[in-house]
Amino acid sequence: MNGKKMARAAGFMMFATLIARLLGLLRDMVFYTWFGRTHITDAYNAAFSIPDLIYMLLVGGALSSAFIPVFSSYLAREQEEEAWKAASIVLNYTIIAMLVLIFIGEIYTRPLVLLLVPNLPFEEINLTVLLTRVMFIQTFFMALNGIAMGVLNSKQHFTWPAIGSILYNVGIITLGLAMARVWGIMAFSIGVVVGSIINFLVQVPALLRAGTKYYPSLNYRHPGFKQIITLMIPVAVGLSVTQINLFITQNLASGLAEGSISALRLAQRVMQLPIGIFGTSIALAVFPTMNFQAARDEMQGFKRTFSLGVRAIFLITIPAGVGLIALREPIIQLFFQQGKFTAADTSSTAWALLFYSLGLFAYSALQLLNRVFYSLKDTLTPVMVGIVSIGLNILFSILLVGPMQDRGLALAYSVAGIMNVLILIALLKWRMQSIDGFKMVKSFIISTAASGVMYLVVRFLVTGLQTVLPLAGKAQELIVVAGGVGAGVLVYGVIVLLFRLEESQLVLSMIKSRIPGLNFLG
């Protein structure tokens, strides 16, 4: 994939992910407006954890990270039949494993929930158990969706996986709004199941057009399958440690004030909005190219591709994190402070968002840095580094939860992410000698300095608008947020463009590929 095609792919992924994430934001708006930030919403958020663990271990992170490099290498060597055989065997074993794990999970849901959130009130424990059992169903369809996305992305098809993620949120919102008065919070849990089914089904026609072949085989001796499993096991171990971090966070938060789990989860979702739009989109678009270059031993091109990708992620996500810090309260007020979501809920969530946003750039960069190692068929290094960083996360969480409450848990998460990035970059430098380190440091410094100037301008503007505007309520909040975002983009954009960075051109190409009217910028 050449630079222009990569920019178009990243631009499409960014645009589609923006729509999906905005719909996710709308989903959360509807949810918290209806139910507020209470033990009930704590139960709903906790109910995602165990199904998410199963999905991430088997498909969402582990299998997809191992599957795409192997599948892509077969395609690069023009061994398409073997690629489909390996994919079929993976699919067959995944279905069996998912059914077994879901069955076990349904039986032992209560002990797992008690381990996860032991300090919730008794009624909310029961609710968490019920919601978890429902959400187990969506795990099966999300597994199918993960394999479908891996196949399509390897074939350079990004459209229908992206559309599927959009329709996933549409399903949750639609069913939640339609049935919340009748089913209560259960309506949103069932909506998750319906959304996951739609997410998979819309990709089936694209799979057929891509020439998908299915083999009803369980041949565990197939070299492609063996390679995928060999690559997958270390990733699964690493992801299980990551999930332990989430469990520790929820365990500690369950003993804090009512709604602490919800405040942390909501703040993290807002923080993850730019990660998904920018970090993940760039990483997913660059990943097949890195796999192809690594498979052909084109290491100079490989180095340039991941260096450019990391720099582009820094360029976008550093100001995004600083912008969220500058606008944290106005953003939470605008989108969530209505219905049963109070000003106190806004304050608690905004503080958590501040500390999560400190690590936004790091978790965005990790989307690509981990995949750099996966492209090199090295899944062990990210696992070992992940274990170290998650250990730090747990340590700092325990140390900070007392004096800082839920804010300490958010800060520990950010510090661990930053440490993870620094260690991975250092190991890449040691392994590959040259990784365009000077360019990455230069890009980081320029982005950080420009973001600092942007922060001062945005805070000054927000304070002024809140003081002089004659309006109140949502009208004022919308103007404040829109004005802050507009001023921030303008100030940051002007400063960065003066430096004529290579990654600036990639980002502009991504934007122009989605908005043709911006071609005058080129």
Side-chain angles (χ1 to χ4, degrees):
M1 190 190 296
N2 61 35
K4 288 185 178 180
K5 287 184 178 180
M6 189 167 66
R8 284 198 296 269
F12 174 78
M13 293 294 293
M14 186 175 69
F15 179 77
T17 305
L18 172 62
I19 302 300
R21 296 285 176 154
L22 289 176
L23 284 170
L25 189 64
L26 176 61
R27 175 197 67 202
D28 289 340
M29 285 172 56
V30 171
F31 177 74
Y32 285 103
T33 298
W34 200 280
F35 298 104
R37 187 180 66 93
T38 64
H39 282 315
I40 292 177
T41 54
D42 285 348
Y44 176 83
N45 284 308
F48 269 103
S49 302
I50 300 169
D52 275 359
L53 171 63
I54 295 175
Y55 169 69
M56 286 301 296
L57 288 184
L58 281 184
V59 181
L63 182 55
S64 62
S65 297
F67 175 82
I68 292 177
V70 175
F71 191 79
S72 296
S73 67
Y74 274 119
L75 297 180
R77 297 193 302 267
E78 298 183 352
Q79 296 177 307
E80 191 155 331
E81 185 175 354
E82 292 303 311
W84 293 123
K85 286 181 180 179
S88 298
I89 296 168
V90 167
L91 173 64
N92 296 334
Y93 276 110
T94 298
I95 290 174
I96 294 170
M98 292 300 297
L99 291 174
V100 170
L101 287 173
I102 291 170
F103 178 74
I104 295 172
E106 293 283 3
I107 294 175
Y108 294 102
T109 306
R110 180 171 291 275
L112 291 170
V113 167
L114 289 172
L115 182 65
L116 186 66
V117 283
N119 298 313
L120 284 181
F122 180 76
E123 289 186 1
E124 277 64 45
I125 290 287
N126 289 338
L127 178 60
T128 306
V129 170
L130 178 61
L131 297 179
T132 301
R133 285 176 171 155
V134 172
M135 290 188 194
F136 271 130
I137 302 170
Q138 65 101 16
T139 309
F140 178 80
F141 292 97
M142 291 303 288
L144 298 179
N145 166 64
I147 294 175
M149 183 175 67
V151 168
L152 291 173
N153 285 352
S154 296
K155 299 278 286 184
Q156 307 293 337
H157 297 313
F158 301 99
T159 302
W160 285 103
I163 291 174
S165 64
I166 292 172
L167 295 178
Y168 170 73
N169 284 310
V170 170
I172 298 173
I173 294 168
T174 302
L175 193 60
L177 282 173
M179 303 304 298
R181 291 187 183 277
V182 180
W183 296 341
I185 203 166
M186 179 61 73
F188 287 87
S189 294
I190 296 176
V192 168
V193 176
V194 172
S196 66
I197 295 172
I198 296 172
N199 192 356
F200 170 67
L201 290 179
V202 298
Q203 296 184 70
V204 173
L207 287 169
L208 296 176
R209 287 194 299 271
T212 300
K213 296 180 181 178
Y214 172 72
Y215 295 88
S217 171
L218 292 174
N219 178 19
Y220 60 87
R221 291 191 175 92
H222 187 279
F225 176 74
K226 290 168 67 175
Q227 190 175 12
I228 289 170
I229 296 300
T230 301
L231 292 170
M232 175 183 167
I233 290 174
V235 181
V237 173
L239 287 172
S240 67
V241 177
T242 302
Q243 290 297 312
I244 289 172
N245 165 61
L246 173 62
F247 294 166
I248 292 291
T249 297
Q250 291 192 339
N251 184 291
L252 294 171
S254 71
L256 300 177
E258 181 181 13
S260 292
I261 294 175
S262 296
L264 287 166
R265 183 62 70 93
L266 179 56
Q268 193 177 51
R269 281 177 181 162
V270 174
M271 182 269 282
Q272 287 175 341
L273 183 64
I275 294 177
I277 295 171
F278 306 120
T280 304
S281 296
I282 293 173
L284 287 176
V286 169
F287 192 33
T289 301
M290 291 193 303
N291 284 324
F292 189 83
Q293 291 169 332
R296 296 198 168 207
D297 200 29
E298 299 172 0
M299 298 317 294
Q300 287 304 119
F302 179 85
K303 292 177 184 179
R304 184 182 180 280
T305 298
F306 85 73
S307 172
L308 184 59
V310 170
R311 285 181 276 133
I313 289 172
F314 283 164
L315 188 75
I316 302 178
T317 60
I318 290 174
V322 173
L324 283 179
I325 293 172
L327 293 168
R328 61 189 185 278
E329 286 196 348
I331 287 174
I332 301 300
Q333 284 177 339
L334 173 63
F335 291 109
F336 300 104
Q337 191 174 306
Q338 61 253 337
K340 294 184 178 180
F341 197 94
T342 66
D345 297 334
T346 292
S347 177
S348 180
T349 305
W351 275 109
L353 178 58
L354 185 156
F355 290 106
Y356 273 132
S357 296
L358 294 174
L360 190 155
F361 78 92
Y363 283 98
S364 298
L366 283 175
Q367 302 300 311
L368 179 57
L369 285 171
N370 284 332
R371 287 176 169 86
V372 172
F373 286 93
Y374 300 154
S375 295
L376 297 170
K377 308 291 176 63
D378 177 5
T379 55
L380 183 60
T381 297
V383 168
M384 300 308 296
V385 176
I387 290 173
V388 172
S389 65
I390 297 306
L392 290 173
N393 196 347
I394 294 172
L395 174 63
F396 283 118
S397 293
I398 294 172
L399 292 175
L400 295 174
V401 69
M404 296 182 65
Q405 300 291 291
D406 52 356
R407 304 174 193 180
L409 299 176
L411 178 58
Y413 181 86
S414 291
V415 171
I418 294 170
M419 291 300 299
N420 200 337
V421 165
L422 291 175
I423 296 172
L424 285 177
I425 290 177
L427 290 174
L428 274 174
K429 170 67 175 174
W430 175 78
R431 176 172 180 168
M432 306 187 73
Q433 303 303 314
S434 171
I435 57 170
D436 279 343
F438 175 78
K439 288 184 178 180
M440 282 194 269
V441 172
K442 177 183 174 182
S443 180
F444 184 86
I445 292 173
I446 291 172
S447 298
T448 302
S451 297
V453 176
M454 180 198 73
Y455 175 85
L456 296 175
V457 172
V458 171
R459 290 302 297 175
F460 177 79
L461 178 64
V462 167
T463 302
L465 288 175
Q466 289 174 334
T467 302
V468 303
L469 280 178
L471 303 172
K474 293 300 174 187
Q476 184 192 61
E477 293 165 8
L478 178 60
I479 293 173
V480 168
V481 171
V485 171
V489 170
L490 180 62
V491 170
Y492 180 80
V494 168
I495 295 173
V496 166
L497 287 175
L498 291 175
F499 289 91
R500 297 185 177 276
L501 299 172
E502 181 185 17
E503 54 270 26
S504 298
Q505 299 307 311
L506 174 61
V507 172
L508 286 176
S509 297
M510 290 163 52
I511 296 172
K512 287 188 288 184
S513 71
R514 292 298 100 204
I515 311 175
L518 292 182
N519 282 334
F520 70 89
L521 289 170

